[in-house]
Amino acid sequence: PSETGRVLSIQSHTVQIYTDNFVITPTEFCAGYPSFKGQVLNGDQLWDLIDGLEANDLLFYTHLLTGYIGSISFLNTVLKVVDKLRSINPKLTYVCDPVLGDEGKFYVPQELVSVYREKVVPVASMLTPNQFEAEQLTGLRITSEQDGREACNILHAAGPSKVVITSINIDGNLLLIGSHQKEKGQSQQFKILISKIPAYFTGTGDLMTALLLGWSNKYPENLDKAAELSVSSLQALLARTLNDYIKAGHDCQSSSLEIRLIQSQDDIRNPEIKYKAEKY
Ligand code: ATP
Ligand code: MG
Ligand code: NA
Ligand code: MG
């Protein structure tokens, strides 16, 4: 396992390239490479970008990371990108955050569900749905730990060998369920309990997936350890964020809180493990 590599990160609003250091923070962004920010890209524009990278011999990636994708045409182009990158590096790891919605509501057109189910999930190496997304992708209603574990197994059977359901709401708290299928039909599963902070943060899902990518590159055989590190970083960052807002006299329940990414770089690089995985 290496700690260096190249990550292509694609969302409808940004395409970014990271090299060398897997801790995905803005400081690691490799200036000089193409980056499109703040505009919504369509599928053709994404493909033009890929063509441009290929023309410059820049299509060797160790990882592809995808997040929010707002249209079918863009998602279909992402599928073409997966094929293209795998033709250049057959070992490419594709980490997919299948962003569909949360708490019963969609934030993408509902037609994306079947494209994720039928085409995207089968080519993903690691999947990081939340509870709602795991339900949409499996057709299972998830109300217990056992349901979460079963959903992971259904997703393994469809493709990805690593699945992390980043949170399931149970009795007012959050439960992360991780599952690593090392052999067909056999998965190592674990859970991490997280106390729910009574505030709404933006960007936690994106950061969680990026952290899981980074730590599971470092510990490819220990998804539980990768998840402990990721949750510990993220919770330290959320505590810092909450503190900052409280110090500033803000009512934390009234609006969503912007996470303190830059101020939390040490927590991201070097988290103290305060959240332990319990193996099943
Ligand atoms: P997003 O809404 O950003 O897309 P998501 O729904 O995809 O997020 P979640 O599972 O909700 O992803 O959040 C990812 C991680 O963030 C969780 O595993 C948890 O560690 C942390 N987290 C998010 N919100 C809270 C909270 N209110 N209290 C504690 N931890 C939280
Ligand atoms: Mg959520
Ligand atoms: Na998620
Ligand atoms: Mg999300």
Side-chain angles (χ1 to χ4, degrees), residues 97 99 107 130 133 205:
D97 184 3
V99 178
Y107 22 77
N130 61 28
E133 291 154 353

Side-chain angles (χ1 to χ4, degrees), residues 74-211:
F74 197 87
L75 190 54
N76 278 321
T77 307
V78 165
L79 285 161
K80 275 172 67 183
V81 174
V82 176
D83 276 352
K84 184 86 189 171
L85 297 183
R86 286 221 167 111
S87 75
I88 293 164
N89 178 13
K91 289 187 175 161
L92 176 92
T93 298
Y94 172 27
V95 177
C96 173
D97 184 3
V99 178
L100 295 170
D102 208 349
E103 315 213 338
K105 284 197 213 81
F106 280 95
Y107 22 77
V108 300
Q110 212 169 320
E111 300 78 66
L112 263 67
V113 174
S114 61
V115 182
Y116 272 107
R117 272 177 98 137
E118 288 158 25
K119 298 192 197 161
V120 182
V121 171
V123 298
S125 317
M126 172 152 86
L127 207 67
T128 60
N130 61 28
Q131 178 174 10
F132 175 72
E133 291 154 353
E135 290 182 335
Q136 291 299 322
L137 295 176
T138 59
L140 209 68
R141 181 100 172 79
I142 302 173
T143 56
S144 68
E145 275 178 60
Q146 195 48 45
D147 296 338
R149 296 175 64 186
E150 195 180 331
C152 289
N153 286 333
I154 293 172
L155 292 167
H156 286 317
S161 61
K162 292 179 183 172
V163 176
V164 176
I165 302 180
T166 51
S167 66
I168 296 175
N169 268 292
I170 292 180
D171 301 329
N173 275 312
L174 302 176
L175 187 69
L176 173 150
I177 305 244
S179 187
H180 186 182
Q181 184 180 54
K182 294 191 173 178
E183 283 167 57
K184 249 200 158 49
Q186 267 194 14
S187 53
Q188 296 182 351
Q189 301 190 318
F190 61 89
K191 65 174 169 182
I192 301 180
L193 289 163
I194 301 162
S195 12
K196 189 168 183 172
I197 302 167
Y200 185 81
F201 301 93
T202 43
T204 53
D206 289 349
L207 182 58
M208 186 66 190
T209 300
L211 288 167

Side-chain angles (χ1 to χ4, degrees), residues 21-25 176 192-194 197 201 203-216 218-219 224-242 259-276:
N21 194 320
F22 270 100
V23 176
I24 296 183
T25 67
L176 173 150
I192 301 180
L193 289 163
I194 301 162
I197 302 167
F201 301 93
T204 53
D206 289 349
L207 182 58
M208 186 66 190
T209 300
L211 288 167
L212 284 166
L213 182 157
W215 289 117
S216 39
K218 187 156 183 191
Y219 302 107
D224 51 339
K225 182 164 185 174
E228 285 175 348
L229 287 157
S230 302
V231 170
S232 296
S233 286
L234 187 53
Q235 293 304 316
L237 180 147
L238 295 186
R240 178 187 308 271
T241 300
L242 198 64
I259 57 174
R260 296 285 186 254
L261 199 53
I262 304 292
Q263 297 87 334
S264 304
Q265 290 195 36
D266 286 344
D267 297 328
I268 291 174
R269 272 174 226 281
N270 227 335
E272 185 188 335
I273 297 192
K274 290 193 179 163
Y275 289 79
K276 292 296 273 182

